[in-house]
Amino acid sequence: MAKYFPLFIDISNKTFLVVGAGNIAARRILKLKEFGCKIIVVAKSIAVTIMDLQDDRLILKERAYDSSDVENVDYVIAATNDEELNERIVWDCKRAGVIVNDASNYKNCDFYFPGIVTEEEMVIGVTSSGSNHKLARRVASAIRYNIKEIISECKKEESENTKQKDFD
């Protein structure tokens, strides 16, 4: 299995299409919203939790997926509970040259959606390259639990080093 390179990019001017509106899609949407991108959600039924998030950067389309939905988007997340539909979305993306993540099959992914930890200016992504989601989730959780203390310690050390340089 290939290891995926962690690439941190500015997605604030990018458009994501999320097909599906269940729990996995909701988690992806919540995290993506933190990074300011435009998100289009297409699903036959959209959960109230997602509807409550709607704003000018989150567009909801309560209807069936259409192959033309992958046009004019930068990234696609196929997060339906229908593996055949997810396969079709992946095929449409490959044909259109759009980067895609299939939440139901890691082998169909051009990118993985990592466990993301954000604290102050820090953004940390954790992935097992699709092989062990449970492990990646546990590691991200451990980082989330400890990150405030680690940042505080680093800032304290940084401050002490700055003070020491002022005396030199």
Side-chain angles (χ1 to χ4, degrees), residues 140-154:
S141 181
I143 293 169
R144 247 181 236 103
Y145 182 79
N146 292 295
I147 192 67
K148 287 183 182 184
E149 182 180 336
I150 293 167
I151 289 173
S152 178
E153 287 174 14
C154 290

Side-chain angles (χ1 to χ4, degrees), residues 111-130:
F111 71 96
Y112 293 122
F113 205 96
I116 299 174
V117 179
T118 54
E119 184 66 37
E120 297 184 28
E121 69 268 25
M122 297 300 303
V123 178
I124 303 162
V126 178
T127 182
S128 63
S129 296

Side-chain angles (χ1 to χ4, degrees), residues 1-8 101 106 111-116 124-137 139-140 143:
M1 166 181 272
K3 289 184 179 181
Y4 278 52
F5 180 77
L7 178 67
F8 289 84
N101 172 280
Y106 73 92
F111 71 96
Y112 293 122
F113 205 96
I116 299 174
I124 303 162
V126 178
T127 182
S128 63
S129 296
S131 66
N132 191 336
H133 295 294
K134 192 179 282 188
L135 175 61
R137 192 173 332 134
V139 169
I143 293 169

